[in-house]
Amino acid sequence: MNRLQRVRATAYGKLTLSLRVLGLRPDGYHEIEALTVSIGQPSDVVEVEAVPHPGGVTFAVVGETDHVPKGMDNLAARAAEDVMLRAGRSGHGVLLTLRKRIPAGAGLGGGSADAAATIVAVRTLLDLELSDEELLDVAAGLGSDVPFCIRGGAAWMRGRGEILDPISLRAGLGFLVAIPPFRLATPTVYAAWDELGGPEATRRVEPQGTVARLIGALANDLEPAAEAVAPDLREFREALERAAGRPALLAGSGSSYVVPLERGVDGEDLAARVSRSLRVPVVAARSTSVGVRIGS
Ligand code: C5P
């Protein structure tokens, strides 16, 4: 059988539809319970190519690279190294190119999605003999959200995020994702949550469609912390809610906001109108059943 020379994978972002923070743990992470879905838009693309030299991982990132680490400290580059090391194949030459579209620091799990797609792409490229459990273990070592991005679809995330309870949820649920002109770092938002004494979310958003069978109300406990770190966020959210005519909830640790849409709403048309009104990128996103798609 001919060895593959090149593998391409699409890395899908994710939305936390609801995020409860249960407390600070002795290891510095926070215990969470989050209802999370993969979304088809925005997405990144990872390309891996087997090369005779140099040995090890060579990394390049192109596209929308603001706030994206350009060197081997990028989570995707580390993911390639870690999965090759776990399989005892770290001497192989792999050229990794990351095409970025998911904005960094927006709470859409872009870095985690890139790491997940890289793990799966490198396993395919080098035909690594690693089980799904071993892949998830490598993923959890890279970041709390990487295991979810590998499995994709919909799940309750527990522990620090790495414990997954998959949910069968119809793909194609509609959302607007509005991206403000500023970014937030996850550790900063969690630290603010600690400093504020561990607040609970004060706002609740009604779930739409089949999500209503899973949860009575959507809330994000990091929202008060994020709005304290970046006071402009609140005004942004209120303007978004006026323009969209629907309530919005912070995505993960921010800075994006999510507007859940009822079935049958033309998300593209609404996204275009809200984007014009707020003068920021607004994406019409749909939930998808996978976190990584090989070969597209
Ligand atoms: O796991 P990951 O490396 O993605 O986490 C980045 C940072 O986010 C952690 O260092 C921590 O500050 C914060 N975090 C947390 N609790 C979680 C997940 C992340 O405090 N459950």
Side-chain angles (χ1 to χ4, degrees):
M1 195 180 82
N2 276 342
R3 273 286 168 88
L4 287 170
Q5 285 305 307
R6 186 175 290 135
V7 172
R8 202 175 143 95
T10 304
Y12 294 116
K14 66 175 181 56
L15 293 178
T16 47
L17 301 186
S18 195
L19 174 58
R20 307 320 306 245
V21 185
L22 306 175
L24 175 62
R25 311 187 333 182
D27 63 4
Y29 283 93
H30 293 76
E31 195 73 12
I32 63 159
E33 186 177 69
L35 176 59
T36 308
V37 294
S38 303
I39 47 170
Q41 310 75 23
S43 61
D44 290 341
V45 172
V46 160
E47 282 164 0
V48 289
E49 187 180 344
V51 290
H53 357 257
V57 178
T58 308
F59 176 68
V61 56
V62 296
E64 288 167 34
T65 61
D66 276 5
H67 306 281
V68 175
K70 313 286 187 300
M72 293 306 291
D73 54 336
N74 186 291
L75 204 58
R78 284 173 39 210
E81 288 187 328
D82 284 8
V83 75
M84 286 161 66
L85 193 63
R86 173 66 72 98
R89 302 275 293 278
S90 43
H92 276 252
V94 170
L95 183 59
L96 165 62
T97 308
L98 172 59
R99 298 181 188 283
K100 281 302 292 177
R101 278 186 307 225
I102 306 175
L108 303 176
S112 304
D114 300 340
T118 301
I119 289 173
V120 176
V122 171
R123 175 171 73 165
T124 309
L125 179 76
L126 300 181
D127 199 15
L128 300 180
E129 286 180 15
L130 291 175
S131 65
D132 288 349
E133 284 66 35
E134 285 172 307
L135 280 205
L136 290 173
D137 192 50
V138 171
L142 286 156
S144 306
D145 294 349
V146 186
F148 172 80
C149 292
I150 288 207
R151 294 190 78 141
W156 286 103
M157 296 169 68
R158 297 200 172 84
R160 63 182 168 92
E162 85 287 20
I163 301 171
L164 302 176
D165 185 1
I167 302 164
S168 95
L169 193 65
R170 181 178 72 85
L173 299 169
F175 307 94
L176 295 189
V177 181
I179 302 157
F182 36 87
R183 303 287 175 252
L184 284 174
T186 302
T188 309
V189 176
Y190 272 109
W193 187 86
D194 294 339
E195 277 157 32
L196 291 169
E200 272 191 20
T202 48
R203 303 172 55 250
R204 302 273 181 280
V205 169
E206 197 188 330
Q208 296 299 326
T210 42
V211 178
R213 287 190 217 134
L214 301 170
I215 189 166
L218 308 177
N220 184 342
D221 289 340
L222 289 180
E223 195 172 78
E227 292 186 355
V229 171
D232 289 350
L233 267 184
R234 186 179 176 153
E235 206 179 304
F236 178 80
R237 169 174 51 80
E238 289 169 354
L240 169 63
E241 292 180 322
R242 276 194 304 275
R246 293 165 176 81
L249 204 62
L250 190 75
S253 57
S255 58
S256 300
Y257 277 87
V258 185
V259 177
L261 299 178
E262 316 85 84
R263 206 171 181 164
V265 172
D266 182 347
E268 297 286 346
D269 180 61
L270 188 59
R273 280 192 283 128
V274 174
S275 177
R276 268 198 305 276
S277 154
L278 299 186
R279 294 164 197 254
V280 298
V282 179
V283 179
R286 292 207 170 269
S287 64
T288 178
S289 57
V290 292
V292 176
R293 193 181 302 281
I294 286 285
S296 52

